[in-house]
């Protein structure tokens, strides 16, 4: 089995899930990947398996981008901002993947096992930010709230950047400032 074919299938699946949602047909995915439809099922026994693998792959790619930024800073505001910047930049640069991931994130097709497998890098960063010896009490008091605010403001920021790419840096910075204020004690 070819890793190149597997990657092509996942890339095509991301494109079609972003365009058509979870009902995207495997025939379209195969055609875009340059393989026969049956070849998909050599790599992924079912369409649900394909979608679960896609979810894990996209979360891993996003997590890797965020982890790279996370390691560049030691201070808490700086780490949060590096994670924010990486999230926004990856999402802007990978619009179809971001839209596919958004669809997959809320899908009942994604199994608890896949969700757990996708946590890897994200969970390590969250543990360092929320539970470490230097944890920020204001942000660690509610991981769920902090994560929800982060995601909502990041999505809004990404949408604004998509409408006005020349304001990328400004919107990214203002979005982070809004997140930081929203999750601060006071």
């Amino acid at each position: 089995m070819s890793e190149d074919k597997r990657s092509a299938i996942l890339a095509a699946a991301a494109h079609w899930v972003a365009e058509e949602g979870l009902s995207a047909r495997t025939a379209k995915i195969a055609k875009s990947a340059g393989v026969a439809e049956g070849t998909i099922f050599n790599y992924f026994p079912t369409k649900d398996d394909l979608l679960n693998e896609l979810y894990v792959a996209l979360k891993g790619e996003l997590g890797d981008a965020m982890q790279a930024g996370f390691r560049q800073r030691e201070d808490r505001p700086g780490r949060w901002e590096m994670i924010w910047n990486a999230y926004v930049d990856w999402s802007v640069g990978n619009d179809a993947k971001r839209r596919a991931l958004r669809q997959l994130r809320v899908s009942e097709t994604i199994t608890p096992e896949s969700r757990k497998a996708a946590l890897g890098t994200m969970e390590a960063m969250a543990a360092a930010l929320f539970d470490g010896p230097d944890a920020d009490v204001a942000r660690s008091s509610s991981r769920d709230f902090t994560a929800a605010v982060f995601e909502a403001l990041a999505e809004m920021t990404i949408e604004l950047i998509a409408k006005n790419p020349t304001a990328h840096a400004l919107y990214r910075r203002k979005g982070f400032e809004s997140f930081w204020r929203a999750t601060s004690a006071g």
Side-chain angles (χ1 to χ4, degrees):
M1 300 241 275
S2 163
E3 187 57 35
D4 289 341
K5 281 185 184 178
R6 183 180 187 283
S7 295
I9 293 166
L10 288 171
H15 168 79
W16 285 109
V17 168
E19 291 298 314
E20 298 184 353
L22 302 180
S23 63
R25 294 185 14 219
T26 55
K28 285 184 176 183
I29 294 169
K31 184 175 181 180
S32 292
V35 300
E37 187 174 5
T39 301
I40 290 176
F41 301 106
N42 290 333
Y43 289 84
F44 309 97
T46 68
K47 183 178 174 187
D48 284 356
D49 290 325
L50 169 60
L51 295 174
N52 275 274
E53 287 286 329
L54 178 61
Y55 175 79
V56 171
L58 293 176
K59 288 288 276 190
E61 188 177 321
L62 174 57
D64 289 347
M66 292 169 67
Q67 180 69 24
F70 181 78
R71 283 189 242 129
Q72 293 176 14
R73 295 292 293 264
E74 301 259 340
D75 60 307
R76 186 145 327 277
R79 279 190 165 181
W80 276 103
E81 188 169 11
M82 294 302 286
I83 289 170
W84 174 272
N85 290 347
Y87 184 95
V88 169
D89 292 346
W90 181 89
S91 297
V92 168
N94 297 283
D95 186 59
K97 290 178 180 181
R98 175 187 68 88
R99 289 184 295 124
L101 187 54
R102 197 166 61 191
Q103 297 255 353
L104 294 165
R105 190 179 292 140
V106 297
S107 170
E108 293 180 12
T109 301
I110 306 305
T111 66
E113 294 80 17
S114 293
R115 291 184 192 283
K116 185 175 181 180
L119 283 177
T121 302
M122 304 282 194
E123 190 57 32
M125 285 185 292
L129 289 168
F130 289 105
D131 302 326
D134 299 323
D136 185 331
V137 176
R139 286 167 188 81
S140 64
S141 62
S142 176
R143 275 186 178 196
D144 292 339
F145 178 78
T146 301
V149 170
F150 183 99
E151 190 171 324
L153 287 173
E155 285 298 320
M156 177 200 67
T157 301
I158 292 158
E159 294 295 331
L160 287 170
I161 291 169
K163 291 177 185 171
N164 186 2
T166 61
H168 182 120
L170 173 67
Y171 289 155
R172 188 180 68 185
R173 178 72 190 149
K174 291 295 185 184
F176 176 74
E177 290 170 358
S178 297
F179 162 73
W180 197 250
R181 280 190 306 274
T183 57
S184 294

